[in-house]
Structure formats: structure tokens, C-alpha cells
Amino acid sequence: LRSRIHTLTHSLTHLLTHTPQRQRKETDAQHNWGLTLLKLERYEDAGLIFESIINDEPNAEESWAALGLCMAKLEQEEAALACQRQVVKIRAMKEKFSVE
């Protein structure tokens, strides 16, 4: 009986932690932490957070914009411009698919 309960508990825990809603909340929490680091002028640390989000969600527009700001503050002009271009691309894609 203990073995079955352990297996059931493990399975339910896995299902609970791998829902799209849970992943969205975790991404939002990460993004907010990055914004906090940005406000504290910890641009490199904030940039790493935003890069992590973007690696998981390539169309995370706000994280791209925040990463661009970090790059600008770190005087990485080319990287900041690349982030800006990505934001424009994502917005254009969203507009295209929301109209059709």
C-alpha cells in the first residue's frame, strides 16, 4: 500500500508542477526577479535571468525588451539593437496572426 501511495503521490506532484499555468507563473516570477535586479542596477545578473527566459520562450517580448535595456546599460550597443529588432519582429508576428 505504501508503495502505491508513494507512486501516486509522485505522479500527482509531477502533474501539478508541469502544467502550463504553473510554468507561466514561474516565468512571470523569473521576469519580475530580473526587473528587480535591473532596478538594483545589477545588469549582468538581470540579463542572465532574461536570457534564461528567452531560451525557454523565444517569443517572450517583454524579456527581450528588458534584456535589450540591460545590454544598453552595459554599453553593448549591438546586443541591445539585436534585442530591439527581436521585439519588433515578435510584435509584427503577433499583429499578423491577430488580424488573420
Side-chain angles (χ1 to χ4, degrees), residues 66-82:
L67 178 60
L69 182 56
C70 290
M71 295 297 101
K73 293 290 188 176
L74 293 169
E75 300 181 1
Q76 301 293 320
E77 184 179 352
E78 289 301 317
L81 288 170

Side-chain angles (χ1 to χ4, degrees), residues 25-44:
K25 286 181 182 180
E26 289 176 8
T27 299
D28 288 346
Q30 276 186 306
H31 184 81
N32 289 337
W33 177 239
L35 291 176
T36 299
L37 293 171
L38 189 62
K39 287 178 185 177
L40 293 172
E41 299 181 1
R42 293 176 51 188
Y43 305 121
E44 289 181 18

